[in-house]
Amino acid sequence: MQDQTFSRLAFCATLASWVAISCAPAESDSNNDGGGGGGEATATSSVSSTSSSTSGSGGATSTSSTTVAGTGGDNSGGSGGAEPTGSGGAGTGGWPEGAIPMGNAPVPSAGCGKATTLTTKEYTISSSGQNRVYYVDMPKNYDMNKPYRLFYTSHWIGSRWQDVEGQDFYFLKPQLEADGEQAIFVAPSSDGATWQEKDHALFDDIMELMNENVCYDTTRVFATGFSFGGMITYSLSTNHQAEIRAAVGIAPANYNIWLPEKTRKPIAWMHTTGMTDGTCPWVNNEGQKRGAKFIALEKAEDNGCTIPDNIPTSNGAYSCFDFKDCDPEHPTRVCTFGGGHTNIDGNPNWIPIESWKFFKQF
């Protein structure tokens, strides 16, 4: 298992170089990110392998408790309607958008039942007129007839896919393996230091290629990322609710990142914030609704939850708050703690533990 101390040092060294231009306060409009960004373009997806990489290992897998009730485990509420007939192809397979019931039967991608040429390595894809790089981590003894979960994992500012793979995809991979599960992990690299508008098109292009070439469950595509990776995760969650079942933002912000016109459709959502985080703070500007607090309130409103007068937060041990009365298919939670801008907190690191608990309930 990866030495978490080494991971922390490597992570901090990278983050220190870029923290000033991440989600710190900016004078420009909230929809402008540090790296600019061009308009989206229709792209023809193509793939070619460029290099291989050995898989890293991740954090601890033991459990931890929160200081409030609820840890995001199984959700038994709601049924969401009958399951669709048939299989194959992208999308939700016949359920009304946003109404996929908890514990639904898998809906296979078009790539199920077909041999794949994709293996665990780096690839390039043509997107928005550029060759973009991404990494695919395939399950051991991949079964072309098994619809796997698929995780789309985005890196923090100034880093690359290698940094996410080196942390075993935010330490999620060992969490799954401890439960006897495997998944397909995808980790793209940004063009420059930051994620931009064109990275929405990149997500679409990669997922189109994955749909045709690997077997995954189209109703269990998950997104996560830390810092600027959490910000692009949030950005994607505002208009890709039909493609992404649930998302976890780790220390995200809702400004200094390109945001599309929000559909305000529901999506299962969780995020984490350290209450001493000065980079992507809980509240950056109350009047302008900038900060992680306002992500939580937006998602709670979109998901039909009851909005409390105040969201309980913790300045000590981490505490996860589950919003009440949400759509059964769209649990909404926020975890806060007395720490800073990080995706590693506690021993064991509770962030991947709680993230996996959230994801696996679907």
Side-chain angles (χ1 to χ4, degrees), residues 31-40 191 194-199 258:
N31 282 359
N32 291 333
D33 64 30
E40 294 184 7
D191 176 30
T194 61
W195 298 106
Q196 306 168 34
E197 178 180 355
K198 61 188 173 184
D199 295 311
W258 181 81

Side-chain angles (χ1 to χ4, degrees), residues 132-134 149-155 164 169-170 172 184-189 195 199-207 210 220-225 229 232-233 236 244 246 248 359:
R132 298 293 300 275
V133 175
Y134 67 104
R149 296 179 179 90
L150 189 149
F151 289 86
Y152 192 85
T153 58
S154 301
H155 62 72
V164 175
F169 309 96
Y170 295 112
L172 279 170
I184 298 168
F185 291 90
V186 177
S189 287
W195 298 106
D199 295 311
H200 276 237
L202 178 65
F203 172 85
D204 294 335
D205 293 334
I206 289 176
M207 290 307 302
M210 298 301 289
R220 288 178 176 87
V221 174
F222 303 124
T224 190
I232 186 62
T233 298
L236 287 168
I244 299 172
V248 171
F359 284 132

Side-chain angles (χ1 to χ4, degrees), residues 8-320:
R8 188 191 299 266
L9 290 173
F11 155 75
C12 290
T14 301
L15 182 63
S17 301
W18 295 100
V19 68
I21 59 170
S22 179
C23 38
E27 296 298 325
S28 58
D29 183 85
S30 62
N31 282 359
N32 291 333
D33 64 30
E40 294 184 7
T42 303
T44 301
S45 297
S46 62
V47 59
S48 61
S49 62
T50 57
S51 64
S52 61
S53 172
T54 55
S55 175
S57 57
T61 59
S62 56
T63 59
S64 178
S65 61
T66 61
T67 58
V68 295
T71 57
D74 292 338
N75 186 328
S76 58
S79 61
E83 295 180 5
T85 59
S87 61
T92 57
W95 281 300
E97 184 176 322
I100 305 171
M102 304 296 279
N104 64 282
V107 178
S109 63
C112 291
K114 301 188 298 187
T116 183
T117 59
L118 294 184
T119 59
T120 298
K121 62 168 67 175
E122 178 187 276
Y123 293 90
T124 60
I125 187 170
S126 176
S127 181
S128 299
Q130 292 180 290
N131 286 330
R132 298 293 300 275
V133 175
Y134 67 104
Y135 183 81
V136 177
D137 186 274
M138 294 290 285
K140 295 178 181 177
N141 301 316
Y142 168 77
D143 182 347
M144 67 180 183
N145 295 307
K146 177 180 178 179
Y148 293 90
R149 296 179 179 90
L150 189 149
F151 289 86
Y152 192 85
T153 58
S154 301
H155 62 72
W156 55 94
I157 192 169
S159 58
R160 314 299 292 163
W161 69 254
Q162 289 90 337
D163 299 287
V164 175
E165 187 271 341
Q167 285 193 347
D168 260 343
F169 309 96
Y170 295 112
F171 309 109
L172 279 170
K173 187 176 179 180
Q175 293 294 320
L176 272 72
E177 290 177 345
D179 279 351
E181 299 286 345
Q182 294 190 75
I184 298 168
F185 291 90
V186 177
S189 287
S190 62
D191 176 30
T194 61
W195 298 106
Q196 306 168 34
E197 178 180 355
K198 61 188 173 184
D199 295 311
H200 276 237
L202 178 65
F203 172 85
D204 294 335
D205 293 334
I206 289 176
M207 290 307 302
E208 181 181 355
L209 184 144
M210 298 301 289
N211 179 62
E212 294 296 326
N213 288 278
V214 297
C215 187
Y216 70 91
D217 182 352
T218 62
T219 65
R220 288 178 176 87
V221 174
F222 303 124
T224 190
F226 165 63
S227 190
F228 228 96
M231 292 159 69
I232 186 62
T233 298
Y234 165 67
S235 182
L236 287 168
S237 79
T238 65
N239 72 343
H240 279 77
Q241 296 93 331
E243 294 79 24
I244 299 172
R245 177 74 174 272
V248 171
I250 306 171
N254 61 348
Y255 55 96
N256 282 9
I257 181 72
W258 181 81
L259 295 175
E261 182 177 352
K262 300 176 184 178
T263 68
R264 301 307 301 262
K265 294 177 180 178
I267 184 173
W269 176 264
M270 168 183 157
H271 75 256
T272 70
T273 296
M275 296 306 290
T276 61
D277 188 340
T279 305
C280 296
W282 180 244
V283 174
N284 169 255
N285 186 303
E286 186 81 32
Q288 295 179 356
K289 296 185 177 180
R290 289 186 169 192
K293 168 186 173 181
F294 303 103
I295 295 177
L297 290 173
E298 175 187 303
K299 295 304 186 186
E301 182 179 342
D302 292 350
N303 293 341
C305 311
T306 297
I307 308 299
D309 292 336
N310 293 290
I311 300 174
T313 59
S314 174
N315 288 299
Y318 85 96
S319 175
C320 293

